[in-house]
Amino acid sequence: MIKRGVAKLDEVDRVILDEADEMLNMGFKDDLDLILAETPVEKTTWLFSATMAKEVERIARNYMVDPFKITVGRQNEGGENIEHKFYLVQNRNRFPALKRIVDVNPEIFGLIFCRTKRDTQEISDRLIAEGYNVDALHGDLSQHQRDRVMDKFRERKIQLLCATDVAARGIDVSDITHVINYELPEDIESYTHRSGRTARAGKKGESLAIITDRDKYKIKRIEKIIKKKFSQAKVPSGDVVCESQLFKLIEEVKSAQIIEEEFEKYRERVFEQLTEFSREELIEHFISKDFNRFIEYYKDSDDINSTGGRDRDRGRDRDRGRGRDRDRRRGDRDRSSRNERRGNRDSGGRGAEAGFKTIFINVGSSDGLNKGSLIDFVCSNTDVRGRVIGKIRMNEKFSFIEVEEASSDKILNGLQGSDHDGRSLRAEFAKPRR
């Protein structure tokens, strides 16, 4: 508008720049320079910024006369009540790590920060497919959609909100317990914005970062900015997650409200139906109803913590065995494995439930997968929800996955040729054994 002569700024007497640092992050540096250059020298300029990056200071020097700085709190410093932790994993384990962090904190009410709009929507979709109460907030949403998402989050109708840095600006929601950095921001100073969403009004909060070995230098830089140290935390094991979920269920049972007048109508019939169970059996049945899915998902789950450096094949080396004697027999073992794989692939299709088809894929437990991570892999590569996946049978080098027949072609096409740790995946429908 300035270039077309529509907007004339020569009589402006007040300029207010709000969220100046974020405007620069969004690439508006040249636009800001152009606008400010068109305003009179004699004017009042107010500049607001949550962080004082070098570009923000440059604007202050170039376009403000004898400016003085008002700092609320301490510049760029992290909140006093925020605990900062990082989890070191391989890049392929970011999403499983995120799920374990969420699962081990059943009462979490948190923000998950991603770098891009695409990542934000993808992570949200994958979590929804796994049954989590989550929504996404990013720039591709209309204002009406963004307002609707934020209303649900404020009212705690959703437990987790995946957001980009830009979309999360202005979020002022109390009682956020955790901020999870799925990836650290490109602009290190944006970490202060992210972590500042928790521990408000004197409350405590946690800011967690899921990082790889390449991100360690960023942790050091952030520590200098916020003047606080990170502690390295361990991604919880399956057993720890299951224990946390078990006692959450117990607390829910203990605190359940009983509406006596309504329950009274069914009391006699309920007691008749349950008289066959002892007290211990009854407790086990009620708890297992919701608890079994965690037991099944985390059964035989691996340690996904990284020690840094070249540790990505630890699990595979353990599964394949150690020692030079096995290496000498590798030729015989590979020939035997091929024969076994051919036979098992034929028999894998037998026994699939009605309405399901069985898909053979050439990855298994020796590739660092368990049933849970295999479901994640299938969903992320085929754009399907986890509910279309049925029984899974895993071997060391291959697996059989039962999928709903209506989605079977889509899943097969999505898996065929997909990449898993640098390997091209082979997938085909399993043939019933004759």
Side-chain angles (χ1 to χ4, degrees):
M1 293 177 69
I2 294 174
K3 292 177 180 177
R4 295 201 306 266
V6 177
K8 297 185 181 298
L9 308 181
D10 53 336
E11 294 185 6
V12 168
D13 60 4
R14 287 182 181 83
V15 174
I16 300 174
L17 298 173
D18 192 16
E19 303 278 14
D21 53 342
E22 194 57 33
M23 285 192 283
L24 293 169
N25 290 339
M26 293 168 68
F28 293 136
K29 174 182 176 294
D30 292 341
D31 297 296
L32 284 175
D33 285 342
L34 174 62
I35 293 169
L36 292 172
E38 292 293 317
T39 60
V41 175
E42 294 294 329
K43 62 181 179 293
T44 301
T45 304
W46 295 355
L47 185 152
F48 298 89
S49 179
T51 59
M52 284 301 292
K54 291 181 179 178
E55 282 299 323
V56 176
E57 293 179 340
R58 182 190 66 80
I59 289 177
R61 287 196 307 269
N62 292 348
Y63 297 105
M64 300 176 77
V65 179
D66 295 327
F68 62 91
K69 183 190 301 183
I70 300 174
T71 303
V72 179
R74 282 167 285 190
Q75 184 175 311
N76 293 342
E77 189 165 331
E80 289 294 331
N81 296 326
I82 302 174
E83 187 176 2
H84 301 267
K85 301 178 183 178
F86 71 86
Y87 299 84
L88 186 63
V89 299
Q90 295 295 324
N91 192 55
R92 64 191 172 94
N93 286 326
R94 281 189 194 271
F95 188 72
L98 172 64
K99 289 180 61 176
R100 292 195 193 186
I101 292 168
V102 172
D103 285 344
V104 84
N105 293 285
E107 302 301 326
I108 188 173
F109 178 54
L111 278 167
I112 300 170
F113 278 100
C114 304
R115 285 184 186 168
T116 67
K117 293 179 287 188
R118 181 178 177 180
D119 287 346
T120 300
Q121 191 62 58
E122 180 181 316
I123 297 303
S124 175
D125 288 344
R126 291 177 69 181
L127 288 171
I128 290 170
E130 295 288 337
Y132 293 88
N133 188 12
V134 59
D135 212 332
L137 187 71
H138 53 72
D140 283 348
L141 302 181
S142 67
Q143 188 60 49
H144 174 72
Q145 290 172 319
R146 293 173 66 178
D147 290 343
R148 182 178 56 82
V149 170
M150 280 308 305
D151 286 344
K152 288 196 297 182
F153 190 55
R154 288 190 186 94
E155 295 167 9
R156 301 191 73 151
K157 293 179 180 177
I158 53 176
Q159 191 175 13
L160 298 165
L161 181 63
C162 292
T164 58
D165 290 300
V166 175
R169 282 295 175 131
I171 288 181
D172 186 10
V173 179
S174 59
D175 299 328
I176 291 176
T177 61
H178 294 75
V179 169
I180 301 176
N181 296 269
Y182 189 75
E183 290 181 298
L184 289 172
E186 291 288 354
D187 174 21
I188 295 301
E189 291 188 343
S190 292
Y191 179 86
T192 307
H193 286 293
R194 293 182 174 188
S195 61
R197 305 299 170 189
T198 188
R200 296 196 167 189
K203 297 178 180 178
K204 295 183 181 297
E206 294 185 20
S207 181
L208 314 176
I210 302 172
I211 71 167
T212 65
D213 199 46
R214 294 179 180 178
D215 298 320
K216 283 183 175 179
Y217 78 96
K218 291 185 177 181
I219 294 293
K220 297 295 185 185
R221 288 174 58 191
I222 293 172
E223 287 178 335
K224 290 181 180 179
I225 292 172
I226 66 174
K227 299 178 177 61
K228 281 192 168 186
K229 289 289 186 181
F230 278 76
S231 62
Q232 181 172 355
K234 292 290 186 182
V235 178
S237 67
D239 287 342
V240 172
V241 170
C242 289
E243 179 181 341
S244 180
Q245 289 291 333
L246 173 62
F247 285 97
K248 177 211 172 190
L249 287 170
I250 291 173
E251 285 302 315
E252 288 178 349
V253 171
K254 288 169 62 178
S255 60
Q257 183 181 3
I258 301 172
I259 305 175
E260 291 285 352
E261 58 273 18
E262 292 298 321
F263 182 72
E264 192 61 38
K265 295 185 291 187
Y266 311 104
R267 183 186 298 273
E268 186 175 344
R269 288 179 56 198
V270 169
F271 284 5
E272 286 177 1
Q273 292 288 323
L274 298 176
T275 50
E276 62 183 280
F277 297 109
S278 68
R279 177 176 175 271
E280 288 76 14
E281 290 172 335
L282 195 58
I283 292 172
E284 289 171 356
H285 275 76
F286 269 97
I287 295 299
S288 297
K289 177 182 177 297
D290 290 323
F291 182 56
N292 284 354
R293 65 188 178 96
F294 289 99
I295 293 292
E296 179 64 25
Y297 183 86
Y298 285 109
K299 183 180 180 182
D300 301 324
S301 59
D302 291 331
D303 178 5
I304 60 175
N305 290 284
S306 172
T307 58
R310 300 179 61 185
D311 67 341
R312 64 185 294 147
D313 292 324
R314 285 181 302 145
R316 297 182 209 178
D317 292 341
R318 183 180 65 247
D319 290 336
R320 288 173 181 163
R322 300 180 180 86
R324 295 179 180 176
D325 291 340
R326 282 192 79 167
D327 291 339
R328 293 193 198 103
R329 296 195 298 272
R330 184 171 294 162
D332 293 338
R333 182 190 65 192
D334 288 345
R335 286 191 292 273
S336 173
S337 179
R338 284 196 295 271
N339 293 333
E340 179 190 2
R341 182 161 62 246
R342 179 69 260 173
N344 275 314
R345 192 186 315 169
D346 288 343
S347 63
R350 188 175 70 178
E353 295 183 11
F356 282 75
K357 293 183 73 172
T358 303
I359 293 176
F360 165 89
I361 56 173
N362 63 329
V363 290
S365 59
S366 65
D367 296 287
L369 293 168
N370 58 32
K371 290 182 179 179
S373 55
L374 183 56
I375 290 173
D376 292 337
F377 179 79
V378 172
C379 290
S380 63
N381 281 276
T382 62
D383 194 28
V384 299
R385 299 286 180 93
R387 60 173 176 261
V388 306
I389 300 174
K391 294 179 181 177
I392 294 176
R393 298 185 293 282
M394 296 190 71
N395 220 308
E396 185 178 350
K397 293 181 177 298
F398 55 90
S399 303
F400 295 104
I401 310 170
E402 291 185 13
V403 299
E404 288 184 0
E405 193 165 359
S407 303
S408 59
D409 289 334
K410 178 181 181 180
I411 293 173
L412 181 69
N413 292 334
L415 290 176
Q416 180 63 33
S418 61
D419 178 80
H420 182 268
D421 281 353
R423 288 179 53 196
S424 180
L425 200 74
R426 190 173 77 258
E428 61 186 68
F429 289 121
K431 302 176 180 66
R433 188 168 55 190
R434 297 174 182 174

